[in-house]
Amino acid sequence: MPAAPPPPLQIADAQRSVAAELDRIAPVIDELGRRFTEAGHEIALVGGPVRDAMLGRHHNDLDLTTSARPEQTEKLLKGWADAIWDMGRAFGTIGCRHGDWQVEITTYRSEAYDPSSRKPDVDFGDSLEGDLRRRDFTVNAMAVTLPGREIVDPYGGVVDLAHRVLRTPGRPEDSFSDDPLRMMRAARFAAQLGFTVDPAVVDAMRDMASRIEIISAERVRDELVKLVCAPYPRLGLTLLVETGLADLVLPELPALALERDEHHRHKDVYEHTLTVLEQAIDLEATRLDGPDFVSRFAALMHDVGKPRTRRFVEDGTVTFHHHDVVGAKMTRKRMKALRFSNDDIDAVSHLVELHLRFHGYGSGEWTDSAVRRYVRDAGDQLARLHVLTRADCTTRNKRKADRLRRTYDELEARIAQLAEQEELDAIRPDLDGNQIMEILGIGPGREVGEAYRFLLELRMDNGPMTEADATAALRAWAERR
């Protein structure tokens, strides 16, 4: 299972960590500090890089803030940066690359959302402290001035970092009114850093959840992806559900909290789902190039069809027949609403639809033909399907869990054996389209496709055939028609 959130941070350790990180990035910050101050401007390292430096995390993407206007920043970067871009100029941001370093420099600013607008009104500010006050959380509202390397922390970010708590620099209601996406960011940072969220922030999220509706689906999607791919996604997802934000951005998840699982155990489907997600994360470490969003989101969505398919039987049991198919359709609809790519939508919904397939395997009754179809239907999602299927076993019955694991081990072994013998990952009929047309004496058309599908099913049932046997079978099929 994922590691527990880290223990409190010692301030002395944070100070040592930030000093070491500043030495590491000195080739960038020292020269930029000199260039800007000699031109009469202020400049400081700010936000995430300062926070992560105190946590002992290193990266080569640096955010800085300055009193210089964008055109002045661009001028000062020329001759130092290897490349410069200005896509964020409207927001005061100029980006550049210097060797292996990616740098974004933003003019001091203040921004606020109109109650009915999805886009912020941006005004340039005139002080570092004012710029820090507009930031989302105190742990992101710290700066290091350059070139002097003085830590500026007007809102207690160091203390909050030490206690691993998320607070806003000012009133959370004001912060979330300025930018409602910060409510999603609170959940994302909880998931990424393993932090708790200040009760006042949670209350504001609950009271203002409906404000998230003015934010574009793309921005919500991006925060959700970061949350799901974080080390502790349960923390963030639980916060979304408890504050009512999930009702608006991912309503299928809180809907599970009211459903009992099909075996009437103590856990509901919501808790089962979070456990499956955590077990999928544990498995992806060795089976996938994780963190893997598709695998994790499939785990999160695999049972969303249960509320709509729940039926009570006379003997007191409950069934969820076809919840895999219904859940796949619901998953596709939700991901489209969140503007996911077609590739991601297809992959996740396909996994949701297939997640129950293994349970027909029994204790190994599948024929080789059934194993081939399992591989064919999974397609390029087979490795992820292995992860999802194994993660979906959350029983506390050790004997049953061991039996399911051994059975799936056996299925994977059979897949590997057949793959080695038959190249399962590229299953094709034993005759191609040109051969079909030549043997049957026909031209391109629907009948060629029908013949191709017949030969593919034959290949699934019988395994590889010789060209002569495939030809005889094709002729017999044509005669029967």
Side-chain angles (χ1 to χ4, degrees), residues 320-339:
F320 301 97
H321 295 314
H322 308 301
H323 77 266
D324 47 347
V325 177
V326 172
K329 293 179 180 178
M330 293 172 64
T331 297
R332 183 174 292 275
K333 182 178 179 180
R334 177 56 49 199
M335 293 184 74
K336 283 185 177 180
L338 289 170
R339 304 290 194 273

Side-chain angles (χ1 to χ4, degrees), residues 235-275:
L235 294 179
L237 293 168
T238 300
L239 183 61
L240 292 181
V241 171
E242 291 178 350
T243 58
L245 278 164
D247 291 327
L248 301 168
V249 301
L250 194 64
E252 295 80 7
L253 181 61
L256 297 174
L258 302 178
E259 304 300 322
R260 302 292 295 180
D261 77 351
E262 64 267 43
H263 304 296
H264 280 271
R265 296 201 176 89
H266 68 285
K267 65 180 183 296
D268 58 24
V269 180
Y270 169 71
E271 286 296 328
H272 162 76
T273 295
L274 294 181
T275 300

Side-chain angles (χ1 to χ4, degrees), residues 211-259:
R211 283 278 287 159
I212 199 67
E213 292 179 314
I214 73 168
I215 301 298
S216 69
E218 291 83 357
R219 295 184 73 202
V220 171
R221 173 202 65 206
D222 291 347
E223 289 297 326
L224 188 61
V225 170
K226 292 174 184 176
L227 188 162
V228 170
C229 291
Y232 316 106
R234 178 188 280 264
L235 294 179
L237 293 168
T238 300
L239 183 61
L240 292 181
V241 171
E242 291 178 350
T243 58
L245 278 164
D247 291 327
L248 301 168
V249 301
L250 194 64
E252 295 80 7
L253 181 61
L256 297 174
L258 302 178
E259 304 300 322

Side-chain angles (χ1 to χ4, degrees), residues 376 426-437 440 442 445-460 474 477 481:
R376 180 192 65 178
I427 288 181
R428 298 289 186 275
D430 296 287
L431 301 173
D432 63 24
N434 290 327
Q435 291 172 303
I436 291 171
M437 290 187 287
L440 298 183
I442 59 176
R446 185 180 64 182
E447 190 173 2
V448 177
E450 293 174 352
Y452 186 93
R453 286 189 289 275
F454 162 73
L455 290 172
L456 180 59
E457 289 302 312
L458 200 62
R459 170 74 169 76
M460 289 290 173
L474 177 62
W477 170 81
R481 287 169 55 84

Side-chain angles (χ1 to χ4, degrees), residues 162-392:
H163 292 103
R164 298 189 180 276
V165 62
L166 288 175
R167 289 190 307 111
T168 53
R171 292 190 337 124
E173 292 83 1
D174 295 336
S175 180
F176 297 154
S177 180
D178 287 345
D179 185 353
L181 189 67
R182 290 172 176 173
M183 295 184 287
M184 291 288 296
R185 286 168 64 85
R188 189 248 290 184
F189 281 123
Q192 284 182 331
L193 303 173
F195 282 18
T196 58
V197 182
D198 183 75
V201 173
V202 175
D203 289 342
M205 292 171 66
R206 187 177 292 112
D207 293 341
M208 302 180 68
S210 62
R211 283 278 287 159
I212 199 67
E213 292 179 314
I214 73 168
I215 301 298
S216 69
E218 291 83 357
R219 295 184 73 202
V220 171
R221 173 202 65 206
D222 291 347
E223 289 297 326
L224 188 61
V225 170
K226 292 174 184 176
L227 188 162
V228 170
C229 291
Y232 316 106
R234 178 188 280 264
L235 294 179
L237 293 168
T238 300
L239 183 61
L240 292 181
V241 171
E242 291 178 350
T243 58
L245 278 164
D247 291 327
L248 301 168
V249 301
L250 194 64
E252 295 80 7
L253 181 61
L256 297 174
L258 302 178
E259 304 300 322
R260 302 292 295 180
D261 77 351
E262 64 267 43
H263 304 296
H264 280 271
R265 296 201 176 89
H266 68 285
K267 65 180 183 296
D268 58 24
V269 180
Y270 169 71
E271 286 296 328
H272 162 76
T273 295
L274 294 181
T275 300
V276 172
L277 171 59
E278 291 180 324
Q279 293 186 167
I281 293 171
D282 192 38
L283 289 166
E284 78 180 7
T286 55
R287 289 175 167 265
L288 301 173
D289 295 327
D292 182 70
F293 171 75
V294 169
S295 176
R296 293 187 183 198
F297 204 63
L300 193 62
M301 301 294 285
H302 78 284
D303 273 348
V304 296
K306 282 189 172 181
R308 292 190 182 180
T309 59
R310 182 175 63 166
R311 299 292 183 270
F312 294 100
V313 185
E314 291 182 358
D315 63 3
T317 59
V318 61
T319 65
F320 301 97
H321 295 314
H322 308 301
H323 77 266
D324 47 347
V325 177
V326 172
K329 293 179 180 178
M330 293 172 64
T331 297
R332 183 174 292 275
K333 182 178 179 180
R334 177 56 49 199
M335 293 184 74
K336 283 185 177 180
L338 289 170
R339 304 290 194 273
F340 278 95
S341 70
N342 288 334
D343 287 344
D344 282 349
I345 293 172
D346 290 343
V348 175
S349 58
H350 191 49
L351 288 167
V352 172
E353 186 171 6
L354 291 178
H355 82 273
L356 288 181
R357 182 72 65 87
F358 163 69
H359 295 285
Y361 186 74
S363 57
E365 287 83 0
W366 278 4
T367 61
D368 285 350
S369 172
V371 174
R372 294 187 192 101
R373 284 183 168 80
Y374 187 76
V375 173
R376 180 192 65 178
D377 291 347
D380 60 1
Q381 300 303 314
L382 183 61
R384 286 168 169 153
L385 182 59
H386 290 334
V387 167
L388 177 59
T389 303
R390 288 180 179 276
D392 196 26

